[in-house]
PDB file of all heavy atoms in Angstrom:
ATOM      1  N   ILE A  27     -25.968  24.293  -3.369  1.00  0.00           N
ATOM      2  CA  ILE A  27     -25.240  23.073  -3.029  1.00  0.00           C
ATOM      3  C   ILE A  27     -23.748  23.323  -3.183  1.00  0.00           C
ATOM      4  O   ILE A  27     -23.294  23.794  -4.235  1.00  0.00           O
ATOM      5  CB  ILE A  27     -25.671  21.897  -3.921  1.00  0.00           C
ATOM      6  CG1 ILE A  27     -27.191  21.713  -3.856  1.00  0.00           C
ATOM      7  CG2 ILE A  27     -24.967  20.622  -3.494  1.00  0.00           C
ATOM      8  CD1 ILE A  27     -27.718  20.666  -4.804  1.00  0.00           C
ATOM      9  N   LEU A  28     -22.980  23.013  -2.149  1.00  0.00           N
ATOM     10  CA  LEU A  28     -21.538  23.262  -2.150  1.00  0.00           C
ATOM     11  C   LEU A  28     -20.803  22.031  -2.674  1.00  0.00           C
ATOM     12  O   LEU A  28     -20.199  21.266  -1.918  1.00  0.00           O
ATOM     13  CB  LEU A  28     -21.061  23.619  -0.738  1.00  0.00           C
ATOM     14  CG  LEU A  28     -21.795  24.775  -0.042  1.00  0.00           C
ATOM     15  CD1 LEU A  28     -21.158  25.069   1.297  1.00  0.00           C
ATOM     16  CD2 LEU A  28     -21.815  26.020  -0.923  1.00  0.00           C
ATOM     17  N   PHE A  29     -20.846  21.844  -3.981  1.00  0.00           N
ATOM     18  CA  PHE A  29     -20.127  20.726  -4.588  1.00  0.00           C
ATOM     19  C   PHE A  29     -18.615  20.959  -4.471  1.00  0.00           C
ATOM     20  O   PHE A  29     -18.133  22.081  -4.619  1.00  0.00           O
ATOM     21  CB  PHE A  29     -20.493  20.581  -6.068  1.00  0.00           C
ATOM     22  CG  PHE A  29     -21.855  20.014  -6.304  1.00  0.00           C
ATOM     23  CD1 PHE A  29     -22.856  20.790  -6.871  1.00  0.00           C
ATOM     24  CD2 PHE A  29     -22.148  18.701  -5.962  1.00  0.00           C
ATOM     25  CE1 PHE A  29     -24.115  20.267  -7.099  1.00  0.00           C
ATOM     26  CE2 PHE A  29     -23.411  18.169  -6.187  1.00  0.00           C
ATOM     27  CZ  PHE A  29     -24.396  18.956  -6.751  1.00  0.00           C
ATOM     28  N   GLY A  30     -17.884  19.885  -4.226  1.00  0.00           N
ATOM     29  CA  GLY A  30     -16.431  19.985  -4.177  1.00  0.00           C
ATOM     30  C   GLY A  30     -15.867  20.552  -2.894  1.00  0.00           C
ATOM     31  O   GLY A  30     -14.657  20.669  -2.745  1.00  0.00           O
ATOM     32  N   GLU A  31     -16.740  20.925  -1.951  1.00  0.00           N
ATOM     33  CA  GLU A  31     -16.265  21.455  -0.667  1.00  0.00           C
ATOM     34  C   GLU A  31     -16.226  20.344   0.378  1.00  0.00           C
ATOM     35  O   GLU A  31     -17.006  19.390   0.315  1.00  0.00           O
ATOM     36  CB  GLU A  31     -17.171  22.582  -0.182  1.00  0.00           C
ATOM     37  CG  GLU A  31     -17.247  23.782  -1.115  1.00  0.00           C
ATOM     38  CD  GLU A  31     -15.963  24.577  -1.143  1.00  0.00           C
ATOM     39  OE1 GLU A  31     -15.067  24.317  -0.320  1.00  0.00           O
ATOM     40  OE2 GLU A  31     -15.838  25.457  -2.016  1.00  0.00           O
ATOM     41  N   THR A  32     -15.341  20.498   1.336  1.00  0.00           N
ATOM     42  CA  THR A  32     -15.250  19.544   2.449  1.00  0.00           C
ATOM     43  C   THR A  32     -14.901  20.288   3.721  1.00  0.00           C
ATOM     44  O   THR A  32     -14.106  21.233   3.700  1.00  0.00           O
ATOM     45  CB  THR A  32     -14.198  18.454   2.170  1.00  0.00           C
ATOM     46  OG1 THR A  32     -13.983  17.672   3.356  1.00  0.00           O
ATOM     47  CG2 THR A  32     -12.867  19.048   1.732  1.00  0.00           C
ATOM     48  N   ALA A  33     -15.508  19.859   4.819  1.00  0.00           N
ATOM     49  CA  ALA A  33     -15.255  20.494   6.115  1.00  0.00           C
ATOM     50  C   ALA A  33     -14.033  19.908   6.813  1.00  0.00           C
ATOM     51  O   ALA A  33     -13.615  20.404   7.853  1.00  0.00           O
ATOM     52  CB  ALA A  33     -16.480  20.353   7.010  1.00  0.00           C
ATOM     53  N   GLY A  34     -13.459  18.829   6.251  1.00  0.00           N
ATOM     54  CA  GLY A  34     -12.257  18.244   6.850  1.00  0.00           C
ATOM     55  C   GLY A  34     -12.512  16.952   7.604  1.00  0.00           C
ATOM     56  O   GLY A  34     -11.711  16.573   8.459  1.00  0.00           O
ATOM     57  N   LEU A  35     -13.611  16.250   7.282  1.00  0.00           N
ATOM     58  CA  LEU A  35     -13.921  15.017   8.009  1.00  0.00           C
ATOM     59  C   LEU A  35     -12.846  13.960   7.799  1.00  0.00           C
ATOM     60  O   LEU A  35     -12.490  13.227   8.736  1.00  0.00           O
ATOM     61  CB  LEU A  35     -15.286  14.476   7.576  1.00  0.00           C
ATOM     62  CG  LEU A  35     -15.783  13.232   8.328  1.00  0.00           C
ATOM     63  CD1 LEU A  35     -15.963  13.542   9.819  1.00  0.00           C
ATOM     64  CD2 LEU A  35     -17.091  12.724   7.733  1.00  0.00           C
ATOM     65  N   PHE A  36     -12.314  13.866   6.580  1.00  0.00           N
ATOM     66  CA  PHE A  36     -11.250  12.892   6.320  1.00  0.00           C
ATOM     67  C   PHE A  36     -10.027  13.179   7.185  1.00  0.00           C
ATOM     68  O   PHE A  36      -9.452  12.273   7.809  1.00  0.00           O
ATOM     69  CB  PHE A  36     -10.854  12.908   4.838  1.00  0.00           C
ATOM     70  CG  PHE A  36      -9.621  12.108   4.535  1.00  0.00           C
ATOM     71  CD1 PHE A  36      -9.678  10.726   4.464  1.00  0.00           C
ATOM     72  CD2 PHE A  36      -8.401  12.740   4.345  1.00  0.00           C
ATOM     73  CE1 PHE A  36      -8.525   9.980   4.212  1.00  0.00           C
ATOM     74  CE2 PHE A  36      -7.253  12.010   4.081  1.00  0.00           C
ATOM     75  CZ  PHE A  36      -7.316  10.623   4.014  1.00  0.00           C
ATOM     76  N   GLU A  37      -9.623  14.444   7.245  1.00  0.00           N
ATOM     77  CA  GLU A  37      -8.462  14.810   8.071  1.00  0.00           C
ATOM     78  C   GLU A  37      -8.757  14.585   9.550  1.00  0.00           C
ATOM     79  O   GLU A  37      -7.868  14.191  10.315  1.00  0.00           O
ATOM     80  CB  GLU A  37      -8.090  16.274   7.828  1.00  0.00           C
ATOM     81  CG  GLU A  37      -7.477  16.558   6.473  1.00  0.00           C
ATOM     82  CD  GLU A  37      -8.498  16.609   5.345  1.00  0.00           C
ATOM     83  OE1 GLU A  37      -9.724  16.655   5.643  1.00  0.00           O
ATOM     84  OE2 GLU A  37      -8.098  16.597   4.174  1.00  0.00           O
ATOM     85  N   TYR A  38      -9.994  14.820   9.948  1.00  0.00           N
ATOM     86  CA  TYR A  38     -10.392  14.634  11.348  1.00  0.00           C
ATOM     87  C   TYR A  38     -10.279  13.176  11.781  1.00  0.00           C
ATOM     88  O   TYR A  38      -9.788  12.862  12.861  1.00  0.00           O
ATOM     89  CB  TYR A  38     -11.826  15.138  11.504  1.00  0.00           C
ATOM     90  CG  TYR A  38     -12.445  14.926  12.868  1.00  0.00           C
ATOM     91  CD1 TYR A  38     -11.916  15.518  14.002  1.00  0.00           C
ATOM     92  CD2 TYR A  38     -13.596  14.149  13.000  1.00  0.00           C
ATOM     93  CE1 TYR A  38     -12.501  15.328  15.241  1.00  0.00           C
ATOM     94  CE2 TYR A  38     -14.196  13.961  14.234  1.00  0.00           C
ATOM     95  CZ  TYR A  38     -13.643  14.551  15.350  1.00  0.00           C
ATOM     96  OH  TYR A  38     -14.221  14.360  16.576  1.00  0.00           O
ATOM     97  N   LEU A  39     -10.715  12.268  10.902  1.00  0.00           N
ATOM     98  CA  LEU A  39     -10.730  10.847  11.258  1.00  0.00           C
ATOM     99  C   LEU A  39      -9.443  10.117  10.887  1.00  0.00           C
ATOM    100  O   LEU A  39      -9.046   9.181  11.593  1.00  0.00           O
ATOM    101  CB  LEU A  39     -11.909  10.153  10.565  1.00  0.00           C
ATOM    102  CG  LEU A  39     -13.302  10.601  10.995  1.00  0.00           C
ATOM    103  CD1 LEU A  39     -14.351   9.915  10.140  1.00  0.00           C
ATOM    104  CD2 LEU A  39     -13.544  10.313  12.475  1.00  0.00           C
ATOM    105  N   TYR A  40      -8.786  10.539   9.805  1.00  0.00           N
ATOM    106  CA  TYR A  40      -7.673   9.748   9.290  1.00  0.00           C
ATOM    107  C   TYR A  40      -6.391  10.538   9.034  1.00  0.00           C
ATOM    108  O   TYR A  40      -5.370   9.937   8.687  1.00  0.00           O
ATOM    109  CB  TYR A  40      -8.081   9.076   7.966  1.00  0.00           C
ATOM    110  CG  TYR A  40      -9.349   8.278   8.061  1.00  0.00           C
ATOM    111  CD1 TYR A  40     -10.510   8.674   7.409  1.00  0.00           C
ATOM    112  CD2 TYR A  40      -9.395   7.112   8.822  1.00  0.00           C
ATOM    113  CE1 TYR A  40     -11.676   7.939   7.503  1.00  0.00           C
ATOM    114  CE2 TYR A  40     -10.563   6.373   8.922  1.00  0.00           C
ATOM    115  CZ  TYR A  40     -11.696   6.793   8.257  1.00  0.00           C
ATOM    116  OH  TYR A  40     -12.843   6.064   8.353  1.00  0.00           O
ATOM    117  N   GLY A  41      -6.436  11.852   9.174  1.00  0.00           N
ATOM    118  CA  GLY A  41      -5.285  12.663   8.811  1.00  0.00           C
ATOM    119  C   GLY A  41      -4.576  13.289   9.999  1.00  0.00           C
ATOM    120  O   GLY A  41      -4.822  12.958  11.152  1.00  0.00           O
ATOM    121  N   ARG A  42      -3.714  14.235   9.657  1.00  0.00           N
ATOM    122  CA  ARG A  42      -2.940  14.942  10.677  1.00  0.00           C
ATOM    123  C   ARG A  42      -3.720  16.163  11.167  1.00  0.00           C
ATOM    124  O   ARG A  42      -4.499  16.745  10.432  1.00  0.00           O
ATOM    125  CB  ARG A  42      -1.593  15.373  10.106  1.00  0.00           C
ATOM    126  CG  ARG A  42      -0.710  14.225   9.656  1.00  0.00           C
ATOM    127  CD  ARG A  42       0.589  14.718   9.046  1.00  0.00           C
ATOM    128  NE  ARG A  42       0.330  15.526   7.852  1.00  0.00           N
ATOM    129  CZ  ARG A  42       1.280  16.129   7.157  1.00  0.00           C
ATOM    130  NH1 ARG A  42       2.550  16.016   7.541  1.00  0.00           N
ATOM    131  NH2 ARG A  42       0.978  16.847   6.085  1.00  0.00           N
ATOM    132  N   GLU A  43      -3.430  16.549  12.410  1.00  0.00           N
ATOM    133  CA  GLU A  43      -4.169  17.653  13.004  1.00  0.00           C
ATOM    134  C   GLU A  43      -3.905  18.964  12.275  1.00  0.00           C
ATOM    135  O   GLU A  43      -4.821  19.771  12.082  1.00  0.00           O
ATOM    136  CB  GLU A  43      -3.809  17.796  14.485  1.00  0.00           C
ATOM    137  CG  GLU A  43      -4.724  18.731  15.240  1.00  0.00           C
ATOM    138  CD  GLU A  43      -4.525  18.650  16.732  1.00  0.00           C
ATOM    139  OE1 GLU A  43      -3.380  18.425  17.170  1.00  0.00           O
ATOM    140  OE2 GLU A  43      -5.509  18.811  17.460  1.00  0.00           O
ATOM    141  N   LYS A  44      -2.670  19.186  11.831  1.00  0.00           N
ATOM    142  CA  LYS A  44      -2.369  20.443  11.141  1.00  0.00           C
ATOM    143  C   LYS A  44      -3.108  20.521   9.806  1.00  0.00           C
ATOM    144  O   LYS A  44      -3.507  21.605   9.378  1.00  0.00           O
ATOM    145  CB  LYS A  44      -0.867  20.607  10.941  1.00  0.00           C
ATOM    146  CG  LYS A  44      -0.202  19.629  10.022  1.00  0.00           C
ATOM    147  CD  LYS A  44       1.286  19.967   9.882  1.00  0.00           C
ATOM    148  CE  LYS A  44       1.972  19.047   8.893  1.00  0.00           C
ATOM    149  NZ  LYS A  44       3.420  19.391   8.746  1.00  0.00           N
ATOM    150  N   ASP A  45      -3.319  19.374   9.155  1.00  0.00           N
ATOM    151  CA  ASP A  45      -4.092  19.363   7.913  1.00  0.00           C
ATOM    152  C   ASP A  45      -5.566  19.643   8.188  1.00  0.00           C
ATOM    153  O   ASP A  45      -6.251  20.299   7.391  1.00  0.00           O
ATOM    154  CB  ASP A  45      -3.941  18.014   7.205  1.00  0.00           C
ATOM    155  CG  ASP A  45      -2.531  17.782   6.693  1.00  0.00           C
ATOM    156  OD1 ASP A  45      -1.839  18.774   6.411  1.00  0.00           O
ATOM    157  OD2 ASP A  45      -2.111  16.609   6.611  1.00  0.00           O
ATOM    158  N   LEU A  46      -6.063  19.138   9.320  1.00  0.00           N
ATOM    159  CA  LEU A  46      -7.452  19.409   9.711  1.00  0.00           C
ATOM    160  C   LEU A  46      -7.656  20.903   9.941  1.00  0.00           C
ATOM    161  O   LEU A  46      -8.637  21.492   9.466  1.00  0.00           O
ATOM    162  CB  LEU A  46      -7.804  18.622  10.976  1.00  0.00           C
ATOM    163  CG  LEU A  46      -9.111  19.007  11.681  1.00  0.00           C
ATOM    164  CD1 LEU A  46     -10.300  18.805  10.759  1.00  0.00           C
ATOM    165  CD2 LEU A  46      -9.288  18.211  12.955  1.00  0.00           C
ATOM    166  N   LEU A  47      -6.738  21.535  10.665  1.00  0.00           N
ATOM    167  CA  LEU A  47      -6.855  22.965  10.943  1.00  0.00           C
ATOM    168  C   LEU A  47      -6.806  23.779   9.653  1.00  0.00           C
ATOM    169  O   LEU A  47      -7.556  24.746   9.479  1.00  0.00           O
ATOM    170  CB  LEU A  47      -5.733  23.403  11.891  1.00  0.00           C
ATOM    171  CG  LEU A  47      -5.785  22.814  13.296  1.00  0.00           C
ATOM    172  CD1 LEU A  47      -4.547  23.196  14.080  1.00  0.00           C
ATOM    173  CD2 LEU A  47      -7.034  23.285  14.025  1.00  0.00           C
ATOM    174  N   LYS A  48      -5.938  23.378   8.742  1.00  0.00           N
ATOM    175  CA  LYS A  48      -5.818  24.066   7.458  1.00  0.00           C
ATOM    176  C   LYS A  48      -7.113  23.960   6.659  1.00  0.00           C
ATOM    177  O   LYS A  48      -7.601  24.949   6.092  1.00  0.00           O
ATOM    178  CB  LYS A  48      -4.649  23.473   6.669  1.00  0.00           C
ATOM    179  CG  LYS A  48      -4.405  24.116   5.327  1.00  0.00           C
ATOM    180  CD  LYS A  48      -3.229  23.452   4.629  1.00  0.00           C
ATOM    181  CE  LYS A  48      -3.014  24.024   3.228  1.00  0.00           C
ATOM    182  NZ  LYS A  48      -1.874  23.343   2.545  1.00  0.00           N
ATOM    183  N   THR A  49      -7.681  22.764   6.623  1.00  0.00           N
ATOM    184  CA  THR A  49      -8.933  22.543   5.882  1.00  0.00           C
ATOM    185  C   THR A  49     -10.088  23.294   6.529  1.00  0.00           C
ATOM    186  O   THR A  49     -10.930  23.879   5.834  1.00  0.00           O
ATOM    187  CB  THR A  49      -9.265  21.046   5.827  1.00  0.00           C
ATOM    188  OG1 THR A  49      -8.157  20.335   5.248  1.00  0.00           O
ATOM    189  CG2 THR A  49     -10.502  20.783   4.996  1.00  0.00           C
ATOM    190  N   ALA A  50     -10.137  23.292   7.856  1.00  0.00           N
ATOM    191  CA  ALA A  50     -11.212  23.989   8.576  1.00  0.00           C
ATOM    192  C   ALA A  50     -11.173  25.491   8.300  1.00  0.00           C
ATOM    193  O   ALA A  50     -12.208  26.116   8.042  1.00  0.00           O
ATOM    194  CB  ALA A  50     -11.102  23.715  10.070  1.00  0.00           C
ATOM    195  N   ARG A  51      -9.971  26.076   8.347  1.00  0.00           N
ATOM    196  CA  ARG A  51      -9.840  27.510   8.084  1.00  0.00           C
ATOM    197  C   ARG A  51     -10.282  27.838   6.652  1.00  0.00           C
ATOM    198  O   ARG A  51     -10.986  28.817   6.414  1.00  0.00           O
ATOM    199  CB  ARG A  51      -8.385  27.954   8.292  1.00  0.00           C
ATOM    200  CG  ARG A  51      -7.933  27.946   9.740  1.00  0.00           C
ATOM    201  CD  ARG A  51      -6.602  28.647   9.884  1.00  0.00           C
ATOM    202  NE  ARG A  51      -6.084  28.519  11.247  1.00  0.00           N
ATOM    203  CZ  ARG A  51      -5.151  27.644  11.604  1.00  0.00           C
ATOM    204  NH1 ARG A  51      -4.628  26.823  10.702  1.00  0.00           N
ATOM    205  NH2 ARG A  51      -4.730  27.579  12.845  1.00  0.00           N
ATOM    206  N   ARG A  52      -9.855  27.011   5.705  1.00  0.00           N
ATOM    207  CA  ARG A  52     -10.213  27.238   4.311  1.00  0.00           C
ATOM    208  C   ARG A  52     -11.725  27.135   4.104  1.00  0.00           C
ATOM    209  O   ARG A  52     -12.316  27.934   3.370  1.00  0.00           O
ATOM    210  CB  ARG A  52      -9.479  26.237   3.417  1.00  0.00           C
ATOM    211  CG  ARG A  52      -9.754  26.435   1.925  1.00  0.00           C
ATOM    212  CD  ARG A  52      -8.854  25.571   1.083  1.00  0.00           C
ATOM    213  NE  ARG A  52      -9.040  24.160   1.372  1.00  0.00           N
ATOM    214  CZ  ARG A  52      -8.274  23.203   0.862  1.00  0.00           C
ATOM    215  NH1 ARG A  52      -7.265  23.510   0.071  1.00  0.00           N
ATOM    216  NH2 ARG A  52      -8.511  21.947   1.157  1.00  0.00           N
ATOM    217  N   PHE A  53     -12.352  26.157   4.770  1.00  0.00           N
ATOM    218  CA  PHE A  53     -13.798  26.002   4.619  1.00  0.00           C
ATOM    219  C   PHE A  53     -14.548  27.200   5.204  1.00  0.00           C
ATOM    220  O   PHE A  53     -15.537  27.666   4.621  1.00  0.00           O
ATOM    221  CB  PHE A  53     -14.271  24.720   5.290  1.00  0.00           C
ATOM    222  CG  PHE A  53     -15.759  24.521   5.206  1.00  0.00           C
ATOM    223  CD1 PHE A  53     -16.361  24.196   3.996  1.00  0.00           C
ATOM    224  CD2 PHE A  53     -16.563  24.680   6.321  1.00  0.00           C
ATOM    225  CE1 PHE A  53     -17.735  24.035   3.902  1.00  0.00           C
ATOM    226  CE2 PHE A  53     -17.932  24.516   6.245  1.00  0.00           C
ATOM    227  CZ  PHE A  53     -18.516  24.190   5.027  1.00  0.00           C
ATOM    228  N   LEU A  54     -14.089  27.715   6.347  1.00  0.00           N
ATOM    229  CA  LEU A  54     -14.748  28.876   6.953  1.00  0.00           C
ATOM    230  C   LEU A  54     -14.650  30.103   6.053  1.00  0.00           C
ATOM    231  O   LEU A  54     -15.602  30.883   5.934  1.00  0.00           O
ATOM    232  CB  LEU A  54     -14.122  29.171   8.320  1.00  0.00           C
ATOM    233  CG  LEU A  54     -14.451  28.155   9.426  1.00  0.00           C
ATOM    234  CD1 LEU A  54     -13.662  28.476  10.688  1.00  0.00           C
ATOM    235  CD2 LEU A  54     -15.943  28.144   9.727  1.00  0.00           C
ATOM    236  N   VAL A  55     -13.501  30.280   5.403  1.00  0.00           N
ATOM    237  CA  VAL A  55     -13.319  31.403   4.475  1.00  0.00           C
ATOM    238  C   VAL A  55     -14.292  31.272   3.303  1.00  0.00           C
ATOM    239  O   VAL A  55     -14.928  32.254   2.890  1.00  0.00           O
ATOM    240  CB  VAL A  55     -11.862  31.459   3.973  1.00  0.00           C
ATOM    241  CG1 VAL A  55     -11.728  32.440   2.812  1.00  0.00           C
ATOM    242  CG2 VAL A  55     -10.926  31.867   5.107  1.00  0.00           C
ATOM    243  N   ARG A  56     -14.435  30.059   2.771  1.00  0.00           N
ATOM    244  CA  ARG A  56     -15.337  29.848   1.637  1.00  0.00           C
ATOM    245  C   ARG A  56     -16.793  29.954   2.052  1.00  0.00           C
ATOM    246  O   ARG A  56     -17.638  30.397   1.262  1.00  0.00           O
ATOM    247  CB  ARG A  56     -15.041  28.486   1.008  1.00  0.00           C
ATOM    248  CG  ARG A  56     -13.672  28.435   0.345  1.00  0.00           C
ATOM    249  CD  ARG A  56     -13.414  27.104  -0.321  1.00  0.00           C
ATOM    250  NE  ARG A  56     -12.100  27.102  -0.957  1.00  0.00           N
ATOM    251  CZ  ARG A  56     -11.603  26.079  -1.644  1.00  0.00           C
ATOM    252  NH1 ARG A  56     -12.302  24.967  -1.776  1.00  0.00           N
ATOM    253  NH2 ARG A  56     -10.417  26.156  -2.188  1.00  0.00           N
ATOM    254  N   TRP A  57     -17.089  29.554   3.266  1.00  0.00           N
ATOM    255  CA  TRP A  57     -18.456  29.703   3.779  1.00  0.00           C
ATOM    256  C   TRP A  57     -18.848  31.182   3.774  1.00  0.00           C
ATOM    257  O   TRP A  57     -19.947  31.558   3.355  1.00  0.00           O
ATOM    258  CB  TRP A  57     -18.522  29.126   5.194  1.00  0.00           C
ATOM    259  CG  TRP A  57     -19.897  29.026   5.780  1.00  0.00           C
ATOM    260  CD1 TRP A  57     -21.070  29.504   5.263  1.00  0.00           C
ATOM    261  CD2 TRP A  57     -20.241  28.400   7.025  1.00  0.00           C
ATOM    262  NE1 TRP A  57     -22.124  29.225   6.107  1.00  0.00           N
ATOM    263  CE2 TRP A  57     -21.644  28.538   7.197  1.00  0.00           C
ATOM    264  CE3 TRP A  57     -19.509  27.739   8.006  1.00  0.00           C
ATOM    265  CZ2 TRP A  57     -22.308  28.052   8.311  1.00  0.00           C
ATOM    266  CZ3 TRP A  57     -20.181  27.242   9.119  1.00  0.00           C
ATOM    267  CH2 TRP A  57     -21.565  27.402   9.266  1.00  0.00           C
ATOM    268  N   GLU A  58     -17.934  32.035   4.225  1.00  0.00           N
ATOM    269  CA  GLU A  58     -18.196  33.474   4.215  1.00  0.00           C
ATOM    270  C   GLU A  58     -18.327  34.000   2.788  1.00  0.00           C
ATOM    271  O   GLU A  58     -19.125  34.895   2.512  1.00  0.00           O
ATOM    272  CB  GLU A  58     -17.072  34.209   4.940  1.00  0.00           C
ATOM    273  CG  GLU A  58     -17.051  33.961   6.440  1.00  0.00           C
ATOM    274  CD  GLU A  58     -15.931  34.720   7.130  1.00  0.00           C
ATOM    275  OE1 GLU A  58     -15.137  35.371   6.416  1.00  0.00           O
ATOM    276  OE2 GLU A  58     -15.846  34.662   8.369  1.00  0.00           O
TER     277      GLU A  58
END
């Protein structure tokens, strides 16, 4: 279970696009 991880849904729906891209990249690195 990936506690404390987020794919960026908050940034996707309510945030800025650059923050979404940053969160997405970070999540992909942690997924690996």
